[in-house]
């Protein structure tokens, strides 16, 4: 593992009640986390690496602003055309012996990315990906999958498409804090946008989402610029740390330190589960994380 350092993060406002209740009533058995997958979408730009962030209504364990993602579904187990590294390889990368779960995480990641952005990591063979997924027909398919009227695997099967698992890179595993009422055990992946595809919001549910310059977002982390732009009651006036879960913030830092897409994607990561822990510092509740300080040989800036 790289050098781990003790890092402190702001307790997001929506978690304060659960955190105080956890302390007042004594530590209890944490709620079982739901398995989830999330995809960090990347592209290079003249101003540096960019990633797609979206607003999540409600109190998502992924954060108010987050990378595309969500909980796994039973249909993620359904038979589907599969191209690229097999589930066994994915299980090894994730540090798990549960090959079925690893497979579910990969299918769930590709499905969630499609639902939330329209980016589809699928094709008829290993040299081709679907193009022009911004049509009305594809939006109807996204809506049907999001509403669980159709399964993602059915949508692919009817079009003769297979998931392109070679277009995903495994990143890290984050667990929600023990005290949270809604908990995720999230596997993060990374991907770049296939040729002739563009991300777009889901017509029925999308509120805000866009490409953000990672370095700019990290540089402005103590300001309320991004939260004000999103313009929702639970984002206005809030800093980056109040909008993101620690895992997302740390990933943004590492992207900001990386020299472009290829450098970030080729960085070797070992399987490791990270989890924020509730601590009290100078009378304030904060989240403590043991997290790597360096990426690809570059020093990370301290908080």
């Amino acid at each position: 593992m790289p050098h781990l350092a003790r890092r402190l993060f702001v307790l997001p406002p929506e978690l304060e009640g659960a955190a105080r209740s956890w302390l007042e009533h004594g530590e209890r058995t944490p709620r079982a986390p739901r398995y989830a997958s999330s995809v960090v979408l990347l592209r290079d730009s003249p101003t540096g690496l960019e990633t797609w962030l979206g607003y999540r209504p409600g109190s998502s364990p992924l954060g108010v602003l987050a990378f595309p993602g969500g909980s796994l579904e039973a249909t993620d187990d359904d038979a589907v055309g599969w191209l690229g590294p097999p589930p066994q390889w994915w299980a090894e990368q994730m540090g798990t012996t549960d090959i079925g779960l690893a497979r579910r995480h990969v299918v769930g990641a590709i499905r969630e990315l499609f639902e939330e952005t329209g980016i589809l990591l699928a094709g008829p063979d290993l040299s081709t990906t679907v193009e022009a997924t911004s049509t009305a027909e594809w939006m109807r398919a996204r809506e049907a999958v999001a509403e669980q009227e159709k399964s993602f695997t059915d949508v692919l099967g009817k079009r003769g498409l297979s998931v392109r698992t070679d277009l995903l890179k495994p990143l890290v595993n984050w667990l929600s804090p023990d005290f949270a009422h809604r908990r995720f055990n999230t596997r993060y992946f990374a991907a770049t946008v296939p040729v002739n595809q563009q991300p777009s919001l889901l017509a029925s549910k999308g509120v805000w989402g866009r490409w953000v310059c990672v370095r700019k977002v990290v540089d402005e982390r103590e300001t309320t610029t991004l939260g004000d732009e999103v313009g929702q009651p639970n984002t206005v006036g809030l800093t980056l740390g109040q909008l993101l879960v620690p895992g997302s913030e740390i990933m943004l830092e590492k992207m900001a330190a990386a020299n472009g897409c290829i450098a970030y994607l080729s960085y070797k990561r070992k399987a490791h589960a990270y989890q924020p822990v509730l601590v009290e510092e100078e009378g304030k509740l904060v989240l403590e994380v043991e997290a790597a300080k360096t990426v690809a040989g570059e020093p990370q800036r301290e908080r």
Side-chain angles (χ1 to χ4, degrees):
M1 282 298 298
H3 300 296
L4 293 183
R6 181 173 177 264
R7 299 279 308 275
L8 298 179
F9 290 85
V10 177
L11 183 66
E14 73 273 9
L15 288 179
E16 281 176 14
R20 300 215 170 272
S21 169
W22 178 264
L23 292 178
E24 283 165 18
H25 297 103
E27 296 188 2
R28 292 155 293 178
T29 306
R31 296 185 185 206
R34 292 180 68 171
Y35 289 111
S37 287
S38 184
V39 181
V40 176
L41 205 53
L42 298 165
R43 74 176 185 187
D44 287 315
S45 83
T47 53
L49 198 55
E50 293 186 341
T51 191
W52 182 270
L53 285 181
Y55 172 77
R56 308 189 74 83
S59 55
S60 168
L62 293 177
V64 179
L65 293 186
F67 308 110
S71 51
L72 304 189
E73 295 172 2
T75 55
D76 293 332
D77 268 334
D78 292 353
V80 65
W82 186 284
L83 297 165
Q88 170 77 47
W89 181 88
W90 283 100
E92 287 165 9
Q93 298 302 305
M94 293 180 195
T96 178
T97 55
D98 191 335
I99 296 170
L101 177 61
R103 180 192 179 282
R104 200 152 66 241
H105 272 297
V106 170
V107 175
I110 295 174
R111 172 184 54 75
E112 283 286 345
L113 183 64
F114 172 64
E115 280 180 39
E116 294 192 12
T117 70
I119 298 300
L120 182 53
L121 306 181
D125 54 57
L126 269 172
S127 60
T128 321
T129 46
V130 181
E131 295 191 20
T133 53
S134 302
T135 62
E137 184 203 349
W138 277 114
M139 183 61 80
R140 283 194 294 275
R142 286 170 64 188
E143 295 281 4
V145 172
E147 293 299 324
Q148 299 186 351
E149 291 163 7
K150 285 183 185 166
S151 75
F152 177 58
T153 50
D154 190 43
V155 165
L156 293 184
K158 280 196 165 52
R159 291 167 174 81
L161 299 171
S162 300
V163 291
R164 289 279 309 272
T165 75
D166 59 307
L167 300 179
L168 274 184
K169 289 273 187 200
L171 291 181
V172 285
N173 181 196
W174 278 89
L175 288 161
S176 299
D178 284 346
F179 64 84
H181 292 320
R182 290 181 65 213
R183 301 184 64 232
F184 275 176
N185 180 340
T186 311
R187 295 281 181 172
Y188 285 87
F189 301 85
T192 55
V193 180
V195 174
N196 292 334
Q197 291 192 31
Q198 290 295 331
S200 64
L201 295 178
L202 189 63
S204 63
K205 293 182 182 173
V207 175
W208 178 94
R210 74 165 175 89
W211 290 106
V212 298
C213 172
V214 177
R215 200 167 285 131
K216 183 171 184 285
V217 166
V218 171
D219 285 346
E220 296 176 350
R221 72 196 314 167
E222 302 303 336
T223 75
T224 64
T225 306
L226 194 59
D228 293 342
E229 185 202 311
V230 178
Q232 298 299 307
N234 62 340
T235 68
V236 171
L238 299 186
T239 60
L240 195 67
Q242 294 171 302
L243 299 169
L244 300 175
V245 291
S248 296
E249 201 171 344
I250 289 170
M251 280 185 269
L252 285 175
E253 288 176 359
K254 292 185 177 182
M255 284 179 237
N259 190 16
C261 272
I262 292 172
Y264 181 76
L265 292 172
S266 58
Y267 181 64
K268 295 282 183 283
R269 297 166 179 87
K270 287 184 179 158
H272 181 75
Y274 296 92
Q275 184 182 29
V277 176
L278 186 66
V279 294
E280 197 162 339
E281 289 275 320
E282 298 169 9
K284 278 179 69 176
L285 293 180
V286 292
L287 294 174
E288 179 184 283
V289 176
E290 291 274 306
K293 278 172 67 180
T294 58
V295 59
E298 295 190 40
Q300 279 302 126
R301 185 166 47 197
E302 278 297 309
R303 275 299 297 273

